[in-house]
Amino acid sequence: MMRVFLPASSGRAARAAAGLALLAALAGCGGGATPLTFDLAALPGQPRTTGAARSLVVSEPVGLQPMEADRIIVRERGGSLSFLGGGQWADRLPRLIQTRIIQSLENTGRLRSVSRPGDKIPSEYLLVSEIREFDIDSGSGEAVVDLSAKLIAEGTGRVVNARVFTARVPVPKVDAQTAATGLDAALSQVLGDLVRWVNAGR
């Protein structure tokens, strides 16, 4: 199992060195086994109900450089981050999470429209978010998802509401399949809280 360790510090030089280390590791893995690809699930559809009929644009979440890739991350004791070998996400993590947020909100039937910024669909609110954690905590043996979110009124730029959503799911071991399953379960909890929060807003 190959891991590329990323220091807890987040300076420009450290990020650049981490990126070079990742490229070197990927180049060295060319002849190895193809990693398994894992997806994340949106919340299932719900019966359509009478709601606020608001429109919402969902921005792609931002995060530290390790979160920008499609790799499964392990947070080691001491705070260093490593990429878990043997598995990867079906897309870049921020784009994958953005897609599942949009689908989960659409599936409630409570909003008039849910779109991406590039869709150029007029909206009343913008949902911006940050991936604070999306990893396996090797010390506690948990899959951790920590997402901060802000609802911003289009036009005025006023922050209408803000909240941090966190979920922790125990994982029996640290391998690609178990890690992906645990992180998917933790994200499902976060999506449930996020969707209720968005739909409860006025």
Side-chain angles (χ1 to χ4, degrees):
M1 178 172 63
M2 175 168 287
R3 296 182 179 180
V4 178
F5 287 87
L6 305 178
S9 61
S10 58
R12 182 175 299 175
R15 291 197 299 271
L20 291 175
L22 173 58
L23 290 174
L26 291 177
C29 289
T34 302
L36 298 173
T37 298
F38 299 98
D39 203 351
L40 296 167
L43 296 181
Q46 301 175 11
R48 299 188 68 86
T49 58
T50 302
R54 297 177 299 159
S55 56
L56 182 72
V57 168
V58 179
S59 292
E60 183 176 295
V62 299
L64 295 177
Q65 188 271 341
M67 307 291 177
E68 292 291 329
D70 61 355
R71 307 296 297 278
I72 299 174
I73 297 173
V74 176
R75 187 174 299 272
E76 307 287 350
R77 296 178 186 274
S80 62
L81 303 178
S82 64
F83 293 136
L84 181 61
Q88 62 186 15
W89 298 117
D91 202 342
R92 290 177 46 255
L93 183 59
R95 186 158 54 196
L96 187 56
I97 291 176
Q98 177 195 32
T99 298
R100 300 304 175 239
I101 291 174
I102 290 172
Q103 291 173 340
S104 296
L105 287 166
E106 287 176 334
N107 288 346
T108 68
R110 293 284 304 276
L111 298 172
R112 182 168 68 250
S113 69
V114 188
S115 59
R116 292 175 171 81
D119 295 339
K120 306 299 183 183
I121 297 176
S123 67
E124 298 164 88
Y125 298 95
L126 172 67
L127 177 67
V128 299
S129 57
E130 178 183 356
I131 306 170
R132 293 159 36 125
E133 280 194 59
F134 202 97
D135 52 61
I136 301 298
D137 186 332
S138 63
S140 65
E142 295 174 311
V144 183
V145 173
D146 191 343
L147 189 75
S148 67
K150 294 182 178 67
L151 270 177
I152 300 174
E154 293 277 29
T156 66
R158 181 175 66 90
V159 176
V160 176
N161 208 345
R163 184 174 163 184
V164 175
F165 302 90
T166 304
R168 307 179 74 94
V169 173
V171 291
K173 57 183 178 179
V174 181
D175 61 25
Q177 178 69 64
T178 306
T181 300
L183 287 166
D184 184 47
L187 179 63
S188 180
Q189 294 181 26
V190 165
L191 288 175
D193 292 339
L194 175 68
V195 165
R196 284 189 289 272
W197 175 72
V198 169
N199 285 332
R202 293 292 183 268

